[in-house]
Every structure is written in structure tokens, then in C-alpha cells.
Amino acid sequence: MSITLTINGEPRTIDADPETPLLWAIRDELGMTGTKFGCGIAQCGACTVHLDGMPIRSCQTMLEDVGDASITTIEGIDGKAAKAVQAAWKELEVPQCGYCQSGQVMAATALLVETPKPSDEDIDTAMDGNVCRCATYARIRQAIHLAADKMEA
């Protein structure tokens, strides 16, 4: 079945079953491999993308559930919050293995768009469910605070 998705601001048409997880359409059909497969049950956050600005787990979001919503992947994330997060991630050398980082960046960016000056509790709540095998959680929290400061400057 032909399905048109709006991904990173562009309409993209693919031939896929409507019950296909969005993750596989992004990775396999469109060749955008920044969004990662981690667990397949929406528990790790590696597959996080934005659906109309809200972070969702693409491994458990079926194409038929996307409708006319706009999808943003790590390849297309932009804006003040995204730039601040990316700069803070680099400055504090957050990634180690890096596998989870696209999901972490997507979740952190969504947080800062909604809550430009988050508390530790806000960060912990927003980032809950984004698993990091390397346990860089302290640097992630520090980087989110730094990104918030960068957004104010």
C-alpha cells in the first residue's frame, strides 16, 4: 500500500503495510539510520522521534497511526533547543558508545522546547525510559542544564 509521510518537512511516499512500525519505514524504506532499534518494545528510547513535536517511540508506532502528523528524526531536528542540546552534548562529551544518543537528543530537545529551564526532576521525568548502556546519565543531565543556559544566552 502506498503511504505518504511527512518526514523532516518533506513528503515521502513508501510502499508498506499500514501495520509496519514507523521505525522500519524510517530505517529500511527511507534509509535514515540515525533512529536506532534498541529493544522493540518502547522501553529503551533509542527509536525516539518527534510526532508533531512530541517524543514517541517509533518501534511501537504503526504507520496507520501516524496519519497526517509531521515526523522529525535526528537527521532533521533543528531549532534553538536542538542546536543548544547538540552543542552541550559535544562540549561535555556526553556520548561514549553513542548508540542511544539520537533518542537521548530527541527527548532532551522536546523537553527544552516545553520547559526551557528544567529542574533535575523535570529532566529525570522527561528522560525516564531512555536507557544508556554506558550510564552517562549524570553527563546527560548536566548537558541538558548547559543547553538550557545556552538557550538563554
Side-chain angles (χ1 to χ4, degrees), residues 55-135:
I56 57 118
R57 303 297 198 249
S58 63
C59 72
Q60 290 293 303
T61 302
M62 302 305 127
L63 292 177
E64 65 190 355
D65 297 328
V66 172
D68 294 333
S70 179
I71 301 156
T72 305
T73 67
I74 191 70
E75 291 91 348
I77 193 144
D78 197 16
K80 187 175 184 177
K83 287 179 171 62
V85 167
Q86 291 167 341
W89 249 242
K90 288 178 188 174
E91 186 174 328
L92 297 179
E93 299 178 346
V94 172
Q96 284 186 22
C97 82
Y99 196 82
C100 69
Q101 294 305 306
S102 60
Q104 301 280 1
V105 167
M106 296 300 286
T109 299
L111 167 63
L112 290 176
V113 167
E114 287 293 314
T115 309
K117 196 69 176 164
S119 66
D120 283 347
E121 183 178 337
D122 294 331
I123 293 169
D124 292 347
T125 299
M127 302 304 288
D128 186 43
N130 285 73
V131 178
C132 176
R133 298 186 286 204
C134 304

Side-chain angles (χ1 to χ4, degrees), residues 14-30:
I14 60 172
D15 186 29
D17 183 318
E19 294 182 8
T20 301
L22 177 58
L23 173 65
W24 300 123
I26 291 169
R27 289 183 60 81
D28 294 347
E29 299 296 324
L30 299 172

